[in-house]
Amino acid sequence: MNSIVIGRYLPGHSLWHKLDARSKILSTSLFVFSCFMINSWIFMAILVLLEYLVILLTKIPIGYFVKSLKPIFFFILLTFFLQVLFNHQGEILFSLGPIQIYDEGLSLGFFMSVRLIIVVVISTLLTLTTRPSDLTLALESLFKPLGKIGFPVAEIALMISIALRFIPTLFEETQKILKAQASRGVDISEGKFKEKVVQLTSLLVPLFILSFKRADELANAMEVRGYVPGRLRTSINQLSWRISDTVLLLICIGLFIGAIIF
Amino acid sequence: MRKMIELKNITFGYDADSPVLKNYSLTINSGEFITILGHNGSGKSTLSKLLVGLMEPQQGEIIIDGELLSEDTIPTIRQKIGIVFQNPDNQFVGSTVRDDIAFGLENKCVSYDVMNELVERYAQKVGMEKFLDSEPHYLSGGEKQRVAIAGVLALGANIIILDEATAMLDPRGRENVMNLIHELVEDRDKTIIMITHHLDEAVKSDRIIVMNEGEIILEGVPKEVFQEKELLESVKLDVPFAVKASYELKQRGLLKEVVTNDEELMDELCKLHSNR
Ligand SMILES: Nc1ncnc2c1ncn2[C@@H]1O[C@H](COP(=O)(O)OP(=O)(O)OP(=O)(O)O)[C@@H](O)[C@H]1O
Ligand SMILES: [Mg+2]
């Protein structure tokens, strides 16, 4: 359980934690967009520095972010090597048989890896420092205009919040089934690919059956507590926009405009 | 005494040719604490789902607090009746304790300030006020069930159904939840229907209803019901030790009637000893 960082929330009291979830979502999006538009190292250095400052502000140990990168580590390496090996621009730096490495390829490889890393880290930062209920409330509030054209914003927000709430439950259940099957001699981590597929069904079938049962019971519990899809509801969570939120958003808009111009 | 729940000749089956409940009638008074006992598959959960309007009987009427349960009255009746289910995880909707207690209030469009006050009051009532910001996977089963009870109380329901609410809990969680239920019983302003197959949980109830295969086979105050040890065991219910022991003593002419709990058994044994 401790190895999963994506979607987790770490309670805290920093200035960053206290920001309105809406401004965090908007700023993070602007930051990510800027990051994908720029191609100068100077601008990238500014983004890295800003991100580093925010991490310092939240007092979250760097280890958490390293962990969050693990699942996409392969992807980062792939991007890097694709650029280094197949981007034949600039001058040859090095060649060994059929392999030729060009200086721009190398530089672009690094650039893209850094880009991926800071995008993942900033997104992790958002979920680590925002309560899931605030996150869904903020999404609901940001997408409210879509409700006017009949898009079920509130329902989807509730769906997301329930999905997030059940991630640890399902994870625990998966572990339990794996153990139960292991005690019957099924070991999913061993064997050939074909065997693995067959053994995977011994995990997925019970997991699906149990999840459907859960969904059914949950729907009953929601119905008896008066939930009617599509009907107006109030919320116990409230978002409050402060001056610090406006400042953050302005900074990120500035970054974004900068990224477009340069 | 005011009638709170009336079931009149209910017949219900998941498919038409094998009814789970057959011509079932039951009346429960306001403020009563009822225990419904029965082995697996005897139709207890089916009964509770009918009472909260999750399913409709094929025949018969359900009247709750003077109102006939029907499509039109379900919303008002759901304000009066709350239910806690067996699985603590599958009824925890909110992402924190606070959110979950508030879920029903949010559906009722209660205003922010009133909602916060109610949530805090009932979190306190069930002893979960320190966990308001906790997420469900950090809570024990017993704590989740207490949150579920708080959710029902916050909605102002005057009938509470507990469908094997303690069945999936460890002994400590079970004791905590039972204590909370007994506390609610002592307040005497709620009608409480507890469904279980543990006879020892039923000792303090005003009336016990024993079900088997969709029918009521026995009904009465705990003392009376426990006299029928053989009938209870014949429908696969586990009789508490005090009942078993005193039943044997009664068979041998040493006791006049079966006692229901360990303390009474001790008393009777002491009396027997000193009379010898
Ligand atoms: N959704 C369903 N579809 C079909 N049959 C069902 C369904 N739910 C229950 N039954 C059947 O109805 C009968 C009564 O079930 P019910 O769940 O009411 O029993 P119960 O007394 O609550 O048992 P338990 O102690 O196991 O909770 C059982 O024979 C069961 O197999
Ligand atoms: Mg049941």
Side-chain angles (χ1 to χ4, degrees):
Chain A
M1 184 66 233
N2 283 328
S3 60
I4 293 191
V5 177
I6 294 170
R8 239 175 86 178
Y9 166 60
L10 280 182
H13 300 283
S14 72
L15 180 64
W16 183 263
H17 278 87
K18 287 194 191 104
L19 286 168
D20 190 303
R22 282 169 298 189
S23 75
K24 277 194 261 185
I25 292 178
L26 288 175
S27 309
T28 303
S29 318
L30 285 171
F31 189 94
V32 169
F33 285 138
S34 315
C35 189
F36 276 111
M37 277 191 304
I38 55 168
N39 43 30
S40 90
W41 272 108
I42 297 174
F43 213 118
M44 185 60 93
I46 295 176
L47 293 186
V48 172
L49 185 71
L50 281 176
E51 192 170 298
Y52 183 65
L53 286 178
V54 174
I55 292 177
L56 284 185
L57 188 66
T58 60
K59 300 197 186 75
I60 295 174
I62 297 283
Y64 272 98
F65 301 100
V66 177
K67 264 190 209 162
S68 75
L69 287 171
K70 241 196 222 159
I72 64 146
F73 185 66
F74 168 77
F75 204 64
I76 295 173
L77 275 186
L78 187 74
T79 320
F80 178 73
F81 282 110
L82 280 181
Q83 284 300 330
V84 171
L85 296 177
F86 298 111
N87 188 332
H88 291 179
Q89 280 172 336
E91 287 167 30
I92 292 191
L93 278 184
F94 173 88
S95 80
L96 189 111
I99 300 173
Q100 290 167 327
I101 294 175
Y102 290 73
D103 65 346
E104 277 192 23
L106 191 66
S107 138
L108 209 60
F110 273 118
F111 194 81
M112 288 184 138
S113 308
V114 172
R115 177 185 276 167
L116 267 180
I117 291 172
I118 71 168
V119 165
V120 171
V121 168
I122 197 85
S123 324
T124 311
L125 196 66
L126 177 66
T127 56
L128 276 178
T129 59
T130 316
R131 291 215 318 253
S133 49
D134 287 347
L135 212 52
T136 44
L137 196 63
L139 283 175
E140 189 177 337
S141 151
L142 290 173
F143 283 100
K144 204 167 239 162
L146 281 181
K148 293 216 168 68
I149 55 167
F151 193 74
V153 179
E155 284 69 37
I156 289 179
L158 184 68
M159 239 167 69
I160 295 174
S161 106
I162 290 176
L164 288 176
R165 174 245 167 284
F166 271 96
I167 287 175
T169 312
L170 290 181
F171 188 77
E172 231 166 71
E173 192 145 271
T174 310
Q175 299 284 317
K176 243 188 250 168
I177 296 172
L178 282 177
K179 277 190 195 134
Q181 299 292 29
S183 74
R184 290 170 178 80
V186 181
D187 191 347
I188 292 182
S189 55
E190 271 175 28
K192 290 195 206 75
F193 180 71
K194 215 172 133 193
E195 285 167 26
K196 271 190 183 168
V197 170
V198 173
Q199 284 168 346
L200 205 57
T201 59
S202 75
L203 166 70
L204 292 180
V205 171
L207 195 61
F208 267 87
I209 293 177
L210 287 170
S211 301
F212 276 117
K213 187 164 174 267
R214 263 185 210 290
D216 191 40
E217 291 185 18
L218 190 70
N220 278 344
M222 288 169 70
E223 193 184 331
V224 293
R225 282 155 85 183
Y227 179 71
V228 181
R231 216 172 58 188
L232 192 70
R233 308 172 70 229
T234 47
S235 174
I236 187 143
N237 296 299
Q238 272 189 345
L239 300 167
S240 56
W241 189 279
R242 276 181 287 256
I243 296 183
S244 47
D245 295 297
T246 312
V247 172
L248 174 70
L249 193 59
L250 285 177
I251 293 175
C252 289
I253 291 176
L255 270 183
F256 186 63
I257 295 174
I260 295 175
I261 295 174
F262 297 109
Chain B
M1 234 186 256
R2 196 159 63 97
K3 285 178 186 159
M4 202 54 160
I5 296 175
E6 266 183 284
L7 293 161
K8 291 185 183 163
N9 310 95
I10 298 292
T11 298
F12 175 86
Y14 291 93
D15 50 75
D17 39 287
S18 57
V20 174
L21 296 177
K22 297 151 214 149
N23 202 18
Y24 192 99
S25 297
L26 176 66
T27 304
I28 295 171
N29 293 317
S30 166
E32 244 189 317
F33 174 31
I34 298 273
T35 301
I36 297 180
L37 283 172
H39 190 64
N40 293 103
S42 54
K44 308 179 300 287
S45 298
T46 306
L47 177 67
S48 66
K49 281 186 191 150
L50 289 172
L51 282 175
V52 294
L54 283 172
M55 301 184 303
E56 223 182 314
Q58 277 104 11
Q59 275 170 39
E61 288 182 342
I62 299 174
I63 297 163
I64 291 181
D65 203 10
E67 247 182 307
L68 182 71
L69 188 70
S70 71
E71 204 71 46
D72 304 328
T73 56
I74 277 182
T76 49
I77 282 176
R78 289 218 175 116
Q79 316 253 332
K80 297 179 184 169
I81 190 162
I83 182 166
V84 178
F85 295 100
Q86 178 173 5
N87 191 320
D89 257 320
N90 299 355
Q91 55 189 322
F92 204 110
V93 186
S95 45
T96 60
V97 170
R98 185 194 309 276
D99 288 7
D100 193 65
I101 300 178
F103 183 75
L105 299 169
E106 294 177 331
N107 295 333
K108 245 170 90 178
C109 285
V110 175
S111 74
Y112 180 77
D113 295 322
V114 178
M115 189 143 58
N116 265 300
E117 207 223 298
L118 284 172
V119 167
E120 261 155 48
R121 184 188 317 158
Y122 289 103
Q124 196 131 29
K125 174 90 191 159
V126 302
M128 290 296 290
E129 70 276 11
K130 290 206 184 76
F131 297 89
L132 277 171
D133 289 313
S134 301
E135 293 173 35
H137 55 280
Y138 296 117
L139 302 178
S140 72
E143 286 166 345
K144 282 179 212 160
Q145 291 303 64
R146 271 149 58 197
V147 172
I149 293 175
V152 168
L153 292 174
L155 268 176
N158 42 18
I159 306 168
I160 300 177
I161 303 176
L162 301 136
D163 187 356
E164 301 201 47
T166 60
M168 291 177 71
L169 308 182
D170 57 17
R172 232 183 83 206
R174 206 172 121 191
E175 196 187 319
N176 277 337
V177 172
M178 279 314 294
N179 286 342
L180 174 59
I181 295 171
H182 288 144
E183 221 174 276
L184 297 177
V185 169
E186 269 155 32
D187 294 348
R188 279 288 154 198
D189 55 352
K190 308 270 182 216
T191 306
I192 297 178
I193 303 171
M194 191 174 70
I195 295 173
T196 178
H197 41 223
H198 294 289
L199 268 74
D200 48 340
E201 288 181 350
V203 175
K204 289 192 181 161
S205 50
D206 297 323
R207 184 154 53 115
I208 295 180
I209 288 157
V210 183
M211 285 176 61
N212 189 41
E213 295 186 352
E215 281 170 315
I216 298 177
I217 55 161
L218 190 61
E219 187 179 343
V221 296
K223 205 119 211 178
E224 285 166 18
V225 168
F226 283 119
Q227 304 300 323
E228 309 287 334
K229 175 182 167 272
E230 262 158 21
L231 182 60
L232 293 174
E233 282 181 339
S234 75
V235 294
K236 299 190 192 122
L237 288 168
D238 236 345
V239 178
F241 174 76
V243 172
K244 275 186 200 159
S246 56
Y247 181 82
E248 293 299 324
L249 292 170
K250 188 184 160 200
Q251 290 297 59
R252 288 168 176 70
L254 290 166
L255 276 187
K256 277 202 289 295
E257 55 176 14
V258 171
V259 298
T260 51
N261 60 44
D262 295 348
E263 288 84 50
E264 285 178 50
L265 180 65
M266 283 287 273
D267 286 348
E268 293 295 337
L269 288 176
C270 290
K271 270 189 229 156
L272 279 176
H273 183 72
S274 52
N275 289 350
R276 211 166 48 146

